[in-house]
Amino acid sequence: MSLPRVQSRSGTNADVDATAPKVHVVTFGCQMNKYDSLLVEGRFQRHGYRIVGEADEADVLLFNTCSVRDHAEERVFSWIGELKRRKETRPELVIGVLGCMAQRVGEEIFRRAGHVDLVVGTRAFHNLPDMVAELRQRRANGLAPKKARVIALSLGEQPDDDREGEPYTGGRLGYLAVMRGCDLNCTFCVVPKTRGRVLSRPLDELEAEARWMVAQGAQVITLLGQTINSYGEDLAAPGPNEPKHLGRQGRPSLADVLYRLQQLDGLVRIRMITGHAAYVTPALARAIAECPKVDRFFPLPVQSGSDRILRAMKRGYTTELYRDRLSLLRDAVPDIELGTDWIVGFPGETDEDFEASERWLAEQAYVQNYVFKYSPRPDTHAGEALVDDVPEATKTERNQRLLRTAERTQLLRLQGWIGKRVQAFVEGKNERGLLVARSFHNLPISFAGEDASIGTVLELEPTDATSFGLFAKRV
Ligand code: SAH
Ligand code: F3S
């Protein structure tokens, strides 16, 4: 893979032809979407387009969307609605909807928002410049705007992730999608529908992309995947004379990715989001223990502390099995910190079920907790077949209660770090003028220091804690 031809500053490539068409991408949702949006920008730059920082300046305006909860989709429709008038005065403007909502809603988007020109699902991003060219050609040939539209929703495509000729614009803190999709089928979740089945990228390709990022300034790489530790399950097992990897039947696994990237010069830290208990293995636990660049932190969404609800969610584990998997991690990495996600108000959740979640949170002492109110999604089993019977007010109350439990638990956990020396990577500066760092356990730390230490690893001593992070002094 060669180095980029286009220089870039903070997401814009002002050095290219000023008459080139201008693209702006608005991103909703998760880190994977942010990663995909950078990929889209890179692809356009490779085709001679300019990336602009303002939606108003764009000739091609794209929305990379999220479907996980209902309000995420409604926000996109309201943004797009506001563009209706602009499109009337500037009919040459190209408006596209990309990603999960495009995949899920498809043609219906054209019906709800007649001024949208492009609907592009989660596995067709790499073709976007060609699709825009096709659309413009159709218009130039005199097709009416509605006839010129382009839609691409196949989930069967192998995305082309080769970054040759593209600038890396992700900065110091980079993201790298190691796999896409999910083979599980949690009853509340729309992701298998929007992102398709697991598609893991080959180890060599991941290493090449990581090198390309590091050569252009990435120091931290966060590895991304919907169920990141199922990485490799879809890759071929090696033949009798081929080297064996650490996954099932010698397949590559996330542990192999970690050992590979650990060796990259210039890469300082490696992080991961998001894991699933069913795929936690001793090899993964050992890799986290043995790779000093890998954060001693693992995000392992549990969703509920009630076995009854976990079964209804079809999470693929009981609390007992989840606890066993945590033990694998804790045995190998005794000081590991854990993050998790929760859903409150899933159909049928009783006060007792909810209290089981509260107890589980406190017992496992997660240092990071994301709490969501259940949102019924179309095309999911729970959305279609279960009654959304927990009243909104109860969901809100449980949400607040679980957040309070989380805050108490996080505070205790973080207070445990006071007085201990930690290594931390300094990421930048906050609005109060303090430097902000992440410890090697992925804990946020702020402290007074020099700007020159941004981008370096320092030894710090935490002196105080809140529920969300530590204050420290330099050692
Ligand atoms: N792969 C991850 C989940 C990805 S979705 C896992 O195994 O858990 C990110 C988070 O959004 C989930 O962890 C869940 O807490 C939340 N979420 C997903 N679908 C939801 C829904 N229908 N309602 C509310 N929250 C939801
Ligand atoms: Fe969704 Fe469950 Fe997969 S939450 S992403 S179906 S593990």
Side-chain angles (χ1 to χ4, degrees), residues 25 40 55 121 139 149 156 176 252 284 376 404:
V25 187
V40 167
R139 286 179 180 177
R149 284 169 175 163
L176 173 57
L284 174 62
R404 282 199 297 275

Side-chain angles (χ1 to χ4, degrees), residues 61-78:
L61 184 49
L62 303 171
F63 295 88
N64 193 6
T65 60
C66 173
S67 286
V68 160
R69 284 166 293 275
D70 182 48
H71 64 85
E73 291 195 349
E74 287 313 313
R75 270 175 62 212
V76 173
F77 274 120
S78 91

Side-chain angles (χ1 to χ4, degrees), residues 232-234 237-238 245-253:
E233 291 279 320
D234 57 320
H245 294 288
L246 297 165
R248 215 161 40 85
Q249 295 163 334
R251 291 180 170 83
S253 71

Side-chain angles (χ1 to χ4, degrees), residues 343-474:
I343 293 179
V344 296
F346 186 79
E349 187 188 64
T350 61
D351 286 341
E352 290 79 62
D353 294 320
F354 173 72
E355 283 156 18
S357 290
E358 282 192 300
R359 279 197 304 278
W360 190 265
L361 191 163
E363 199 179 300
Q364 302 307 330
Y366 299 101
V367 79
Q368 190 186 79
N369 293 272
Y370 294 105
V371 182
F372 305 101
K373 291 191 273 188
Y374 171 67
S375 162
R377 307 306 297 126
D379 312 317
T380 64
H381 174 78
E384 306 288 351
L386 304 182
V387 182
D388 181 19
D389 57 359
V390 178
E392 187 57 31
T394 309
K395 284 184 189 171
T396 302
E397 194 210 310
R398 287 180 185 167
N399 187 293
Q400 287 165 354
R401 243 175 82 183
L402 199 56
L403 283 173
R404 282 199 297 275
T405 309
E407 286 181 21
R408 280 195 301 275
T409 304
Q410 290 168 197
L411 181 61
L412 284 174
R413 189 80 198 169
L414 288 166
Q415 282 171 337
W417 285 93
I418 294 175
K420 293 182 179 161
R421 296 200 168 176
V422 300
Q423 305 263 58
F425 179 79
V426 187
E427 296 187 348
K429 208 169 186 175
N430 68 15
E431 61 289 349
R432 282 186 279 162
L434 292 175
L435 293 179
V436 286
R438 288 257 166 194
S439 77
F440 286 9
H441 293 76
N442 196 29
L443 309 174
I445 309 188
S446 47
F447 65 102
E450 309 292 322
D451 286 10
S453 53
I454 295 173
T456 68
V457 169
L458 290 182
E459 192 161 61
L460 299 173
E461 187 186 312
T463 52
D464 203 358
T466 69
S467 294
F468 303 100
L470 294 160
F471 295 98
K473 62 177 189 212
R474 282 197 62 172

Side-chain angles (χ1 to χ4, degrees), residues 10 28-29 41 81 89 97 104 107 139 197 216 221 258 275 285 321 326 354-355 375 398 428 444 450:
S10 60
F28 296 85
E41 290 180 1
T89 53
V97 178
R104 195 190 76 70
E107 295 255 1
R139 286 179 180 177
R197 292 182 64 88
Q216 296 178 82
I221 294 185
L258 298 180
L321 187 120
L326 276 187
F354 173 72
E355 283 156 18
S375 162
R398 287 180 185 167
E450 309 292 322

Side-chain angles (χ1 to χ4, degrees), residues 181-186 188-192 226-227 276 303 315:
C182 180
D183 282 351
L184 301 180
N185 240 322
C186 303
F188 56 82
C189 182
V190 76
V191 168
Q226 272 76 32
T227 43
H276 189 286
Q303 313 297 357
R315 283 293 288 176

